[in-house]
Amino acid sequence: MGLPRRGRKHLIAMVGLPARGKTFTARKLRGYLSWLGYPTRTFNVGERRRDRLGPGQSAAFFDPDDREATAQREALTDDTLDQAFAWLRGEGRIAIFDATNGTRARRRRIQERCSRADVDLLFVELLENDSDVIDENVRDAKLSSPDYRGVPEAEAWSDFRARIAHYERVYAPLSEEDGSFIRLASRGRTITSHEVRGWISARIASFLTNLQVTKRPVWITRHGESLYNCQGRIGGDAPLSDRGRVFARSLADHVNAHAHELVDLDVWTSTLRRTIDTAIPMGLVPGQWRALDEIDSGVCDGMTYAEIARRMPEEFEARQNDKLRYRYPKGESYEDVIQRLDRVIVELERYRTPVLVVGHRAVLRALYAYFLQLPTAEIPHLEMPLHTVIQLAPTAYGCLEERVALPPLPSPAADGSGPPAPA
Ligand code: F6P
Protein backbone atom coordinates (compact mmCIF):
# COMPACT_ATOMS: atom_id res chain seq x y z
CA MET A 1 0.00 0.00 0.00
CA GLY A 2 1.56 3.29 -1.03
CA LEU A 3 0.37 6.64 -2.23
CA PRO A 4 -0.69 7.37 -5.77
CA ARG A 5 1.95 9.83 -7.01
CA ARG A 6 0.20 10.74 -10.22
CA GLY A 7 -3.37 10.79 -11.30
CA ARG A 8 -6.18 13.04 -12.34
CA LYS A 9 -6.36 16.58 -11.05
CA HIS A 10 -9.40 17.79 -9.13
CA LEU A 11 -11.12 21.08 -8.52
CA ILE A 12 -13.52 21.14 -5.61
CA ALA A 13 -15.75 24.19 -5.81
CA MET A 14 -17.59 25.19 -2.66
CA VAL A 15 -21.15 26.47 -3.08
CA GLY A 16 -23.23 28.31 -0.49
CA LEU A 17 -24.43 31.62 0.83
CA PRO A 18 -22.12 33.55 3.18
CA ALA A 19 -21.76 32.22 6.74
CA ARG A 20 -22.70 28.62 5.90
CA GLY A 21 -19.35 27.21 6.99
CA LYS A 22 -17.69 26.96 3.57
CA THR A 23 -14.29 28.17 4.71
CA PHE A 24 -14.34 25.91 7.79
CA THR A 25 -15.25 22.92 5.59
CA ALA A 26 -12.69 23.84 2.92
CA ARG A 27 -9.98 24.10 5.57
CA LYS A 28 -10.85 20.73 7.12
CA LEU A 29 -10.97 19.13 3.68
CA ARG A 30 -7.63 20.63 2.72
CA GLY A 31 -6.08 19.31 5.93
CA TYR A 32 -7.53 15.84 5.42
CA LEU A 33 -6.56 15.49 1.75
CA SER A 34 -3.05 16.86 2.33
CA TRP A 35 -2.64 14.49 5.26
CA LEU A 36 -3.66 11.59 3.00
CA GLY A 37 -0.79 12.65 0.73
CA TYR A 38 -2.57 14.61 -2.03
CA PRO A 39 -1.01 18.05 -2.57
CA THR A 40 -4.04 20.25 -1.85
CA ARG A 41 -4.55 24.01 -1.50
CA THR A 42 -7.50 26.29 -0.94
CA PHE A 43 -8.11 29.37 -3.08
CA ASN A 44 -10.37 31.89 -1.37
CA VAL A 45 -11.96 34.73 -3.32
CA GLY A 46 -12.62 36.80 -0.17
CA GLU A 47 -8.91 36.78 0.67
CA ARG A 48 -8.06 37.73 -2.90
CA ARG A 49 -10.52 40.65 -2.69
CA ARG A 50 -8.92 41.88 0.52
CA ASP A 51 -5.43 41.51 -1.02
CA ARG A 52 -6.39 43.40 -4.15
CA LEU A 53 -8.81 46.02 -2.89
CA GLY A 54 -8.00 46.13 0.81
CA PRO A 55 -10.55 44.99 3.39
CA GLY A 56 -13.72 46.78 4.28
CA GLN A 57 -16.08 46.63 1.26
CA SER A 58 -19.57 47.27 2.55
CA ALA A 59 -22.66 45.28 1.61
CA ALA A 60 -23.24 47.51 -1.44
CA PHE A 61 -20.19 45.93 -3.10
CA PHE A 62 -22.10 42.62 -3.18
CA ASP A 63 -25.26 44.05 -4.77
CA PRO A 64 -25.87 42.04 -7.96
CA ASP A 65 -27.52 45.10 -9.55
CA ASP A 66 -24.36 47.13 -9.19
CA ARG A 67 -22.70 46.43 -12.52
CA GLU A 68 -19.33 47.88 -11.74
CA ALA A 69 -18.97 46.02 -8.46
CA THR A 70 -20.23 42.82 -10.07
CA ALA A 71 -17.61 43.12 -12.81
CA GLN A 72 -14.94 43.65 -10.16
CA ARG A 73 -16.12 40.60 -8.23
CA GLU A 74 -16.15 38.47 -11.37
CA ALA A 75 -12.61 39.60 -12.19
CA LEU A 76 -11.49 38.59 -8.69
CA THR A 77 -13.15 35.22 -9.14
CA ASP A 78 -11.37 34.68 -12.45
CA ASP A 79 -8.08 35.70 -10.90
CA THR A 80 -8.52 33.26 -8.06
CA LEU A 81 -9.46 30.49 -10.48
CA ASP A 82 -6.36 31.31 -12.54
CA GLN A 83 -4.28 30.70 -9.43
CA ALA A 84 -6.07 27.41 -8.75
CA PHE A 85 -5.48 26.14 -12.29
CA ALA A 86 -1.84 27.25 -12.18
CA TRP A 87 -1.44 25.14 -9.02
CA LEU A 88 -3.08 22.19 -10.74
CA ARG A 89 -0.83 22.52 -13.80
CA GLY A 90 2.17 22.25 -11.47
CA GLU A 91 2.61 20.11 -8.38
CA GLY A 92 -0.97 20.47 -7.12
CA ARG A 93 -3.32 17.53 -7.22
CA ILE A 94 -6.42 19.09 -5.67
CA ALA A 95 -7.53 22.74 -5.60
CA ILE A 96 -10.38 23.81 -3.36
CA PHE A 97 -12.10 26.91 -4.74
CA ASP A 98 -13.68 28.67 -1.80
CA ALA A 99 -16.30 31.18 -2.95
CA THR A 100 -20.10 31.39 -2.95
CA ASN A 101 -20.46 30.09 -6.54
CA GLY A 102 -24.19 30.58 -6.07
CA THR A 103 -25.30 31.33 -9.63
CA ARG A 104 -25.64 28.93 -12.52
CA ALA A 105 -23.71 31.29 -14.79
CA ARG A 106 -20.72 31.25 -12.44
CA ARG A 107 -20.84 27.48 -12.19
CA ARG A 108 -21.05 27.09 -15.97
CA ARG A 109 -17.83 29.12 -16.22
CA ILE A 110 -16.13 26.84 -13.71
CA GLN A 111 -17.35 23.77 -15.58
CA GLU A 112 -16.03 25.11 -18.88
CA ARG A 113 -12.64 25.90 -17.44
CA CYS A 114 -12.38 22.45 -15.88
CA SER A 115 -13.28 20.68 -19.06
CA ARG A 116 -10.77 22.77 -21.06
CA ALA A 117 -8.05 21.92 -18.53
CA ASP A 118 -9.15 18.26 -18.25
CA VAL A 119 -9.68 18.63 -14.51
CA ASP A 120 -12.35 16.70 -12.59
CA LEU A 121 -14.88 19.00 -10.96
CA LEU A 122 -16.86 18.35 -7.79
CA PHE A 123 -19.20 20.91 -6.24
CA VAL A 124 -19.69 20.83 -2.47
CA GLU A 125 -22.76 22.77 -1.37
CA LEU A 126 -23.59 23.80 2.18
CA LEU A 127 -27.28 24.60 2.71
CA GLU A 128 -28.38 26.00 6.04
CA ASN A 129 -31.65 27.63 7.04
CA ASP A 130 -31.29 27.56 10.81
CA SER A 131 -30.77 31.18 11.82
CA ASP A 132 -29.06 30.15 15.08
CA VAL A 133 -26.41 28.24 13.16
CA ILE A 134 -25.93 31.12 10.71
CA ASP A 135 -25.65 33.63 13.57
CA GLU A 136 -23.09 31.42 15.27
CA ASN A 137 -21.04 31.28 12.06
CA VAL A 138 -21.25 35.06 11.68
CA ARG A 139 -20.10 35.49 15.26
CA ASP A 140 -17.28 32.91 15.03
CA ALA A 141 -15.92 33.79 11.63
CA LYS A 142 -17.20 37.04 10.20
CA LEU A 143 -17.34 39.74 12.85
CA SER A 144 -13.65 39.24 13.55
CA SER A 145 -12.78 39.39 9.83
CA PRO A 146 -10.58 42.26 8.60
CA ASP A 147 -13.68 43.51 6.71
CA TYR A 148 -15.11 44.71 10.01
CA ARG A 149 -12.04 45.89 11.83
CA GLY A 150 -12.96 48.93 13.89
CA VAL A 151 -16.66 48.67 12.95
CA PRO A 152 -19.11 48.65 15.90
CA GLU A 153 -20.64 45.20 16.34
CA ALA A 154 -24.26 46.19 15.65
CA GLU A 155 -23.22 47.89 12.42
CA ALA A 156 -21.14 44.87 11.37
CA TRP A 157 -24.10 42.53 11.98
CA SER A 158 -26.49 44.60 9.90
CA ASP A 159 -23.98 45.07 7.08
CA PHE A 160 -23.28 41.34 6.98
CA ARG A 161 -27.00 40.54 6.91
CA ALA A 162 -27.40 42.93 3.98
CA ARG A 163 -24.51 41.17 2.24
CA ILE A 164 -26.22 37.80 2.69
CA ALA A 165 -29.50 39.25 1.35
CA HIS A 166 -27.76 40.37 -1.85
CA TYR A 167 -26.45 36.88 -2.42
CA GLU A 168 -29.83 35.33 -1.60
CA ARG A 169 -31.53 37.21 -4.39
CA VAL A 170 -29.50 35.44 -7.07
CA TYR A 171 -28.70 32.14 -5.34
CA ALA A 172 -29.57 28.95 -7.21
CA PRO A 173 -29.00 25.68 -5.34
CA LEU A 174 -27.22 22.89 -7.16
CA SER A 175 -29.19 20.72 -9.52
CA GLU A 176 -28.40 17.75 -11.75
CA GLU A 177 -27.10 19.99 -14.50
CA ASP A 178 -24.20 20.96 -12.24
CA GLY A 179 -22.73 17.47 -12.68
CA SER A 180 -20.94 15.83 -9.73
CA PHE A 181 -21.86 17.27 -6.39
CA ILE A 182 -22.25 16.62 -2.69
CA ARG A 183 -24.80 18.69 -0.80
CA LEU A 184 -24.76 18.94 2.98
CA ALA A 185 -27.95 20.45 4.36
CA SER A 186 -28.70 21.40 7.97
CA ARG A 187 -25.17 20.93 9.28
CA GLY A 188 -24.76 17.78 7.27
CA ARG A 189 -27.84 16.00 8.68
CA THR A 190 -29.19 15.54 5.15
CA ILE A 191 -26.69 14.60 2.50
CA THR A 192 -27.30 14.34 -1.22
CA SER A 193 -24.69 13.12 -3.60
CA HIS A 194 -24.95 13.18 -7.34
CA GLU A 195 -22.60 11.41 -9.77
CA VAL A 196 -19.84 11.11 -7.16
CA ARG A 197 -17.34 8.62 -8.60
CA GLY A 198 -13.70 7.72 -8.13
CA TRP A 199 -11.47 7.17 -5.13
CA ILE A 200 -10.72 10.79 -4.19
CA SER A 201 -14.37 11.87 -4.51
CA ALA A 202 -15.40 8.88 -2.43
CA ARG A 203 -12.90 9.84 0.31
CA ILE A 204 -14.25 13.41 0.25
CA ALA A 205 -17.84 12.17 0.47
CA SER A 206 -17.07 9.88 3.39
CA PHE A 207 -15.14 12.61 5.22
CA LEU A 208 -17.79 15.30 4.73
CA THR A 209 -20.58 12.94 5.66
CA ASN A 210 -18.96 12.43 9.05
CA LEU A 211 -17.55 15.89 9.69
CA GLN A 212 -19.12 17.55 12.73
CA VAL A 213 -18.66 21.09 13.89
CA THR A 214 -17.76 20.38 17.48
CA LYS A 215 -15.53 21.76 20.17
CA ARG A 216 -15.14 18.52 22.07
CA PRO A 217 -11.54 17.50 22.77
CA VAL A 218 -9.53 14.54 21.56
CA TRP A 219 -6.84 13.36 23.96
CA ILE A 220 -3.92 11.27 22.83
CA THR A 221 -1.23 9.52 24.82
CA ARG A 222 1.27 6.79 24.25
CA HIS A 223 0.99 3.65 26.36
CA GLY A 224 2.96 3.42 29.57
CA GLU A 225 6.60 2.46 29.21
CA SER A 226 6.96 -1.17 28.07
CA LEU A 227 9.76 -3.63 28.72
CA TYR A 228 10.78 -3.20 25.06
CA ASN A 229 10.99 0.59 25.58
CA CYS A 230 13.41 -0.04 28.47
CA GLN A 231 15.61 -2.10 26.17
CA GLY A 232 15.29 0.30 23.21
CA ARG A 233 13.60 -2.44 21.13
CA ILE A 234 11.00 -1.58 18.50
CA GLY A 235 7.69 -3.25 17.71
CA GLY A 236 6.70 -6.44 19.53
CA ASP A 237 3.95 -6.91 22.06
CA ALA A 238 5.81 -6.47 25.35
CA PRO A 239 4.05 -5.90 28.71
CA LEU A 240 4.35 -2.67 30.67
CA SER A 241 7.38 -2.05 32.85
CA ASP A 242 6.89 -1.12 36.53
CA ARG A 243 7.10 2.55 35.54
CA GLY A 244 4.59 1.93 32.77
CA ARG A 245 2.10 0.50 35.26
CA VAL A 246 2.53 3.52 37.54
CA PHE A 247 1.86 5.77 34.53
CA ALA A 248 -1.35 3.84 33.81
CA ARG A 249 -2.58 4.74 37.30
CA SER A 250 -1.48 8.38 36.92
CA LEU A 251 -3.43 8.51 33.68
CA ALA A 252 -6.56 7.14 35.36
CA ASP A 253 -6.22 9.78 38.12
CA HIS A 254 -5.72 12.51 35.53
CA VAL A 255 -8.81 11.45 33.58
CA ASN A 256 -10.86 11.30 36.82
CA ALA A 257 -9.69 14.76 37.77
CA HIS A 258 -10.99 16.05 34.41
CA ALA A 259 -14.21 14.05 34.49
CA HIS A 260 -16.33 17.21 34.04
CA GLU A 261 -14.65 17.93 30.66
CA LEU A 262 -14.73 14.29 29.67
CA VAL A 263 -18.38 13.36 30.09
CA ASP A 264 -19.20 10.27 27.98
CA LEU A 265 -15.50 9.65 27.37
CA ASP A 266 -14.59 6.84 24.99
CA VAL A 267 -11.19 5.20 25.28
CA TRP A 268 -9.60 3.66 22.19
CA THR A 269 -6.51 1.46 22.19
CA SER A 270 -4.65 -0.64 19.66
CA THR A 271 -4.81 -4.43 19.86
CA LEU A 272 -1.39 -4.55 21.56
CA ARG A 273 -1.21 -5.31 25.26
CA ARG A 274 0.83 -2.27 26.25
CA THR A 275 -2.03 0.05 25.24
CA ILE A 276 -4.80 -2.15 26.65
CA ASP A 277 -2.96 -2.53 29.98
CA THR A 278 -2.48 1.25 30.11
CA ALA A 279 -6.23 1.76 29.76
CA ILE A 280 -7.30 -0.81 32.38
CA PRO A 281 -7.02 1.39 35.54
CA MET A 282 -9.47 3.86 33.97
CA GLY A 283 -12.14 1.23 34.45
CA LEU A 284 -13.69 1.83 31.02
CA VAL A 285 -13.91 -0.88 28.40
CA PRO A 286 -11.68 0.40 25.60
CA GLY A 287 -12.51 0.08 21.93
CA GLN A 288 -9.64 -1.88 20.39
CA TRP A 289 -8.56 -0.89 16.88
CA ARG A 290 -6.11 -2.85 14.78
CA ALA A 291 -5.73 0.34 12.74
CA LEU A 292 -4.12 1.89 15.85
CA ASP A 293 -1.40 -0.78 16.10
CA GLU A 294 2.16 0.55 15.96
CA ILE A 295 3.99 0.81 12.62
CA ASP A 296 4.86 -2.74 11.53
CA SER A 297 8.64 -2.90 11.56
CA GLY A 298 8.62 -6.17 9.57
CA VAL A 299 11.93 -8.06 9.69
CA CYS A 300 13.28 -5.47 12.17
CA ASP A 301 10.58 -6.17 14.75
CA GLY A 302 12.15 -6.71 18.19
CA MET A 303 15.51 -5.19 17.23
CA THR A 304 17.16 -2.08 18.64
CA TYR A 305 18.09 0.75 16.28
CA ALA A 306 21.77 -0.02 16.93
CA GLU A 307 21.22 -3.65 15.85
CA ILE A 308 19.49 -2.55 12.67
CA ALA A 309 22.36 -0.14 11.90
CA ARG A 310 24.88 -2.94 12.42
CA ARG A 311 23.11 -5.84 10.73
CA MET A 312 21.28 -4.01 7.95
CA PRO A 313 23.17 -0.77 7.30
CA GLU A 314 21.47 -0.15 3.92
CA GLU A 315 18.05 -0.42 5.49
CA PHE A 316 19.05 1.87 8.36
CA GLU A 317 20.40 4.46 5.97
CA ALA A 318 17.43 4.26 3.62
CA ARG A 319 15.11 4.97 6.54
CA GLN A 320 17.19 7.91 7.67
CA ASN A 321 17.13 9.34 4.17
CA ASP A 322 13.38 9.16 3.73
CA LYS A 323 11.64 8.16 6.92
CA LEU A 324 8.18 9.04 5.59
CA ARG A 325 8.31 6.73 2.58
CA TYR A 326 10.73 4.07 3.84
CA ARG A 327 8.96 0.74 4.24
CA TYR A 328 10.49 -1.89 6.54
CA PRO A 329 11.01 -5.17 4.61
CA LYS A 330 7.78 -7.13 5.16
CA GLY A 331 6.49 -4.19 7.21
CA GLU A 332 5.12 -0.71 6.79
CA SER A 333 6.11 2.86 6.03
CA TYR A 334 4.70 5.99 7.68
CA GLU A 335 2.69 6.54 4.50
CA ASP A 336 1.15 3.10 4.96
CA VAL A 337 0.28 3.96 8.56
CA ILE A 338 -1.46 7.16 7.45
CA GLN A 339 -3.58 5.23 4.95
CA ARG A 340 -4.78 2.78 7.57
CA LEU A 341 -5.49 5.59 10.04
CA ASP A 342 -7.89 7.18 7.55
CA ARG A 343 -10.85 5.31 9.04
CA VAL A 344 -9.82 6.34 12.57
CA ILE A 345 -9.80 10.01 11.52
CA VAL A 346 -13.20 9.74 9.85
CA GLU A 347 -14.57 8.12 13.00
CA LEU A 348 -12.99 10.75 15.25
CA GLU A 349 -14.57 13.48 13.12
CA ARG A 350 -17.94 11.77 13.51
CA TYR A 351 -17.80 11.68 17.31
CA ARG A 352 -19.40 14.46 19.31
CA THR A 353 -18.12 13.16 22.64
CA PRO A 354 -14.52 13.18 23.92
CA VAL A 355 -12.16 10.38 22.92
CA LEU A 356 -8.89 9.36 24.54
CA VAL A 357 -6.61 7.42 22.22
CA VAL A 358 -3.97 5.32 23.96
CA GLY A 359 -1.59 4.57 21.13
CA HIS A 360 1.96 4.30 19.91
CA ARG A 361 4.63 6.72 18.83
CA ALA A 362 4.35 6.51 15.01
CA VAL A 363 0.57 6.23 15.00
CA LEU A 364 0.10 9.18 17.34
CA ARG A 365 2.51 11.32 15.34
CA ALA A 366 0.24 10.80 12.34
CA LEU A 367 -2.98 11.55 14.29
CA TYR A 368 -1.44 14.62 15.89
CA ALA A 369 -0.29 15.98 12.52
CA TYR A 370 -3.82 15.60 11.18
CA PHE A 371 -5.36 17.71 13.94
CA LEU A 372 -2.64 20.36 13.84
CA GLN A 373 -2.59 20.32 10.01
CA LEU A 374 1.17 19.87 9.92
CA PRO A 375 3.03 19.01 6.71
CA THR A 376 3.16 15.26 6.13
CA ALA A 377 6.94 15.38 5.76
CA GLU A 378 7.23 16.38 9.44
CA ILE A 379 5.23 13.43 10.76
CA PRO A 380 8.06 10.92 11.33
CA HIS A 381 10.09 13.49 13.27
CA LEU A 382 7.47 14.87 15.67
CA GLU A 383 8.10 14.83 19.41
CA MET A 384 5.85 12.21 20.95
CA PRO A 385 7.25 11.44 24.40
CA LEU A 386 6.12 8.67 26.72
CA HIS A 387 4.00 9.53 29.78
CA THR A 388 2.58 12.70 28.26
CA VAL A 389 -1.09 13.42 27.57
CA ILE A 390 -1.82 15.75 24.67
CA GLN A 391 -5.17 17.47 24.62
CA LEU A 392 -6.36 18.64 21.21
CA ALA A 393 -9.30 21.03 21.27
CA PRO A 394 -10.78 22.12 17.94
CA THR A 395 -11.60 25.82 17.41
CA ALA A 396 -13.30 27.61 14.49
CA TYR A 397 -9.87 28.14 12.90
CA GLY A 398 -7.73 25.26 14.00
CA CYS A 399 -6.86 23.30 17.07
CA LEU A 400 -5.45 24.19 20.47
CA GLU A 401 -2.90 21.89 21.99
CA GLU A 402 -1.97 21.32 25.61
CA ARG A 403 0.61 18.80 26.84
CA VAL A 404 0.68 17.42 30.36
CA ALA A 405 3.55 15.18 31.49
CA LEU A 406 2.41 12.65 34.09
CA PRO A 407 4.59 10.74 36.55
CA PRO A 408 6.79 8.80 36.56
CA LEU A 409 9.54 9.86 34.20
CA PRO A 410 10.23 7.02 31.75
CA SER A 411 13.54 5.21 31.98
CA PRO A 412 16.44 7.03 30.29
CA ALA A 413 16.81 4.21 27.74
CA ALA A 414 13.24 4.49 26.49
CA ASP A 415 13.13 6.35 23.18
CA GLY A 416 16.69 7.58 23.60
CA SER A 417 17.86 5.11 21.00
CA GLY A 418 15.82 6.30 18.03
CA PRO A 419 17.61 6.94 14.76
CA PRO A 420 19.06 10.44 14.56
CA ALA A 421 17.15 12.83 12.32
CA PRO A 422 18.50 12.87 8.77
CA ALA A 423 21.07 15.58 8.14
O1 F6P B 1 10.26 2.60 20.18
C1 F6P B 1 8.88 2.64 20.31
C2 F6P B 1 8.20 2.65 18.95
O2 F6P B 1 6.83 2.77 19.16
C3 F6P B 1 8.50 1.42 18.06
O3 F6P B 1 7.70 0.30 18.33
C4 F6P B 1 8.31 1.97 16.67
O4 F6P B 1 8.92 1.17 15.69
C5 F6P B 1 8.94 3.32 16.84
O5 F6P B 1 8.67 3.75 18.15
C6 F6P B 1 8.45 4.35 15.88
O6 F6P B 1 9.27 5.51 15.95
P1 F6P B 1 10.34 5.79 14.78
O7 F6P B 1 9.52 5.86 13.53
O8 F6P B 1 10.96 7.10 15.16
O9 F6P B 1 11.33 4.67 14.70
Side-chain angles (χ1 to χ4, degrees):
M1 199 169 29
L3 281 180
R5 301 255 172 263
R6 276 191 296 277
R8 291 199 56 79
K9 307 271 180 157
H10 298 256
L11 185 90
I12 301 164
M14 306 303 295
V15 177
L17 290 166
R20 265 55 183 182
K22 294 186 299 298
T23 298
F24 171 84
T25 306
R27 189 182 60 76
K28 290 293 287 189
L29 204 49
R30 186 198 67 76
Y32 171 67
L33 293 168
S34 309
W35 180 80
L36 279 178
Y38 302 109
T40 305
R41 267 203 201 156
T42 50
F43 297 86
N44 179 299
V45 176
E47 276 168 23
R48 188 101 184 126
R49 167 173 59 78
R50 286 184 282 270
D51 280 355
R52 280 286 168 94
L53 311 177
Q57 285 73 42
S58 72
F61 183 76
F62 303 91
D63 180 351
D65 296 330
D66 182 331
R67 286 195 175 190
E68 203 184 313
T70 303
Q72 262 183 311
R73 286 192 292 115
E74 290 307 323
L76 287 167
T77 304
D78 287 339
D79 260 19
T80 316
L81 271 176
D82 287 347
Q83 287 185 316
F85 281 103
W87 158 251
L88 291 176
R89 277 195 302 278
E91 61 187 303
R93 183 77 190 273
I94 302 173
I96 304 179
F97 180 50
D98 181 10
T100 50
N101 301 324
T103 64
R104 295 222 160 84
R106 165 81 74 87
R107 297 201 292 266
R108 283 311 74 84
R109 281 225 309 283
I110 301 173
Q111 280 176 323
E112 279 158 24
R113 290 197 64 164
C114 282
S115 77
R116 274 205 306 276
D118 196 23
V119 162
D120 288 349
L121 171 62
L122 174 72
F123 288 110
V124 172
E125 182 175 37
L126 303 184
L127 279 186
E128 186 58 72
N129 294 321
D130 183 334
S131 56
D132 289 344
V133 173
I134 298 167
D135 283 357
E136 194 182 320
N137 289 343
V138 173
R139 211 171 301 116
D140 278 358
K142 302 295 176 189
L143 297 184
S144 55
S145 122
D147 283 343
Y148 293 118
R149 191 162 296 144
V151 178
E153 196 178 303
E155 210 176 294
W157 269 108
S158 84
D159 185 82
F160 201 79
R161 289 215 174 92
R163 189 196 290 192
I164 296 179
H166 283 317
Y167 278 104
E168 265 166 349
R169 277 198 287 138
V170 289
Y171 188 77
L174 291 172
S175 66
E176 292 192 359
E177 69 195 51
D178 288 297
S180 300
F181 71 79
I182 300 168
R183 170 185 297 137
L184 301 141
S186 310
R187 275 208 165 164
R189 276 197 290 277
T190 309
I191 292 159
T192 315
S193 79
H194 179 67
E195 288 182 0
V196 174
R197 299 198 186 92
W199 175 251
I200 290 183
S201 300
R203 298 314 315 130
I204 294 170
S206 135
F207 180 75
L208 292 178
T209 306
N210 289 290
L211 184 64
Q212 305 272 353
V213 182
T214 158
K215 302 213 163 84
R216 62 83 218 223
V218 172
W219 288 23
I220 60 175
T221 180
R222 288 175 67 187
H223 52 80
E225 180 190 85
S226 71
L227 291 181
Y228 259 27
N229 290 141
C230 300
Q231 299 160 6
R233 295 190 184 283
I234 64 171
D237 193 12
L240 296 181
S241 69
D242 290 343
R243 284 193 193 80
R245 279 195 297 275
V246 176
F247 168 74
R249 284 196 297 277
S250 304
L251 178 64
D253 292 343
H254 185 69
V255 165
N256 279 334
H258 289 77
H260 57 289
E261 295 162 50
L262 298 177
V263 179
D264 294 331
L265 175 71
D266 258 296
V267 178
W268 296 355
T269 66
S270 72
T271 62
L272 298 168
R273 62 190 289 194
R274 54 193 185 275
T275 62
I276 298 166
D277 290 350
T278 302
I280 282 174
M282 281 182 273
L284 298 163
V285 181
Q288 293 176 22
W289 289 72
R290 187 174 280 286
L292 285 173
D293 283 1
E294 181 53 312
I295 188 170
D296 180 350
S297 41
V299 298
C300 298
D301 192 77
M303 292 166 77
T304 64
Y305 294 113
E307 282 167 358
I308 300 171
R310 201 172 57 247
R311 289 173 23 201
M312 304 181 193
E314 294 88 10
E315 294 297 330
F316 187 79
E317 199 185 319
R319 188 162 200 258
Q320 279 193 290
N321 291 338
D322 188 354
K323 204 173 164 192
L324 178 69
R325 295 199 180 86
Y326 171 83
R327 180 179 286 134
Y328 283 108
K330 299 204 162 74
E332 288 180 306
S333 66
Y334 268 88
E335 283 189 339
D336 296 333
V337 170
I338 292 168
Q339 297 304 305
R340 71 165 146 92
L341 284 174
D342 182 10
R343 73 191 67 167
V344 177
I345 287 298
V346 170
E347 196 62 3
L348 280 172
E349 289 292 5
R350 186 177 77 77
Y351 262 59
R352 281 172 184 271
T353 45
V355 178
L356 164 62
V357 180
V358 182
H360 305 266
R361 177 154 67 172
V363 160
L364 293 186
R365 280 174 173 154
L367 292 184
Y368 174 85
Y370 167 78
F371 283 105
L372 275 274
Q373 297 212 344
L374 301 176
T376 312
E378 289 179 17
I379 292 177
H381 311 287
L382 293 171
E383 275 286 308
M384 194 52 65
L386 283 167
H387 300 187
T388 304
V389 178
I390 304 177
Q391 182 188 311
L392 302 164
T395 65
Y397 280 113
C399 186
L400 292 177
E401 168 193 357
E402 197 184 312
R403 290 186 179 222
V404 182
L406 297 178
L409 284 176
S411 92
D415 284 350
S417 43

